[in-house]
Amino acid sequence: VLAALTKQFENVLHLPVAAWTNATNLTFHLAKVNSETASLSKRNARRYGNSEAIQVRSVDLAWLMRDELTGKACALLKLDVEGAEYRLIPHLLVTGALCLPTHLFVEWHLNSVPEPERLAALALRLSLPATLDTCATPPRVHVNDDYALNNLYTRVPGLDALATLHEGSHSNLTEEGKLTVR
C-alpha cells in the first residue's frame, strides 16, 4: 500500500518521498558503495563507506494511512525504515494509524539506534504486541523481523542491570529480602 501511495506522490512531485511523522524535508545519507542503503543517520550510512547527503520530502505516514486505509477491508503495512521505526511507530500508535492495517510487518534495526536510546527502543519493540491489543480492531497478523545483522550482538546499555533487578538477585537485597522476593 505504502509503495503504491509513495509512487503516486513521486509521480506528482517528481522526487523521492519518505514516510515520516510529519510533512517536512529530511536529509538522507546514501551509502556510495551500497545503493540500497539510505539512512537519516550519517553514521549508519557510513558503515558501507563514504556517503552523500540528499534532501527528501516526507509525508506524515499517519495522515496518509488514515486517509487511504480507513474503511478498507485489508491492508499490509511493512515498515523497513532502517532504524526510523523507533520514531515512526510511537507516532502511528498515538494517532491510531497503527490500528488500521490488518497485517503488520516490522523489520527492527536496533543497531541503528544510538546506544543511550537502545533500552527504550528495545522496550518499544517488546511492548508492541501488547500495545496493539489495545486497538479496537488490532492487526490480525503482526510479524517482527529481528534480522540478525540488525540486532544480534547489539549492545544495550542498562539491560543487564534491569534484568538482574527483575530476576530477584539485585545486589541491594539482603539474603532475607531475596528469600521474601522468592
Side-chain angles (χ1 to χ4, degrees):
V1 170
L2 179 59
L5 295 173
T6 301
K7 200 63 165 166
Q8 289 175 11
F9 278 101
E10 287 176 356
N11 290 338
V12 171
L13 300 174
H14 304 291
L15 296 169
V17 176
W20 194 232
T21 60
N22 61 325
T24 188
N25 289 316
L26 298 171
T27 301
F28 271 83
H29 301 277
L30 304 176
K32 290 184 177 180
V33 175
N34 181 348
S35 63
E36 294 180 11
T37 301
S39 177
L40 292 173
S41 165
K42 185 175 187 175
R43 180 182 60 86
N44 290 342
R46 295 203 85 171
R47 288 185 291 185
Y48 299 98
N50 289 335
S51 66
E52 65 177 293
I54 64 165
Q55 291 292 305
V56 176
R57 183 87 181 122
S58 70
V59 294
D60 184 331
L61 181 58
W63 169 83
L64 188 63
M65 288 173 64
R66 284 192 315 265
D67 192 48
E68 295 294 328
L69 300 181
T70 301
K72 299 283 194 304
C74 181
L76 165 67
L77 175 63
K78 178 185 179 199
L79 284 177
D80 181 1
V81 290
E82 306 305 317
E85 63 272 13
Y86 298 102
R87 298 262 320 266
L88 194 53
I89 287 174
H91 176 67
L92 297 176
L93 284 167
V94 167
T95 60
L98 208 54
C99 295
L100 294 172
T102 57
H103 297 74
L104 176 62
F105 182 97
V106 181
E107 184 173 308
W108 298 95
H109 301 82
L110 190 60
N111 64 350
S112 295
V113 177
E115 277 194 15
E117 298 171 24
R118 285 185 184 158
L119 191 56
L122 186 58
L124 174 66
R125 186 258 177 259
L126 294 174
S127 66
L128 186 58
T131 305
L132 289 171
D133 283 343
T134 65
C135 294
T137 308
R140 292 190 305 254
V141 177
H142 170 219
V143 177
N144 286 314
D145 180 358
D146 294 311
Y147 181 58
L149 291 177
N150 297 333
N151 299 286
L152 191 62
Y153 304 116
T154 300
R155 183 170 137 51
V156 180
L159 184 59
D160 288 340
L162 190 60
T164 301
L165 175 66
H166 289 281
E167 287 175 350
S169 59
H170 193 270
S171 61
N172 289 337
L173 291 177
T174 63
E175 284 305 313
E176 182 178 308
K178 288 179 187 177
L179 289 173
T180 303
V181 170
R182 288 185 196 141

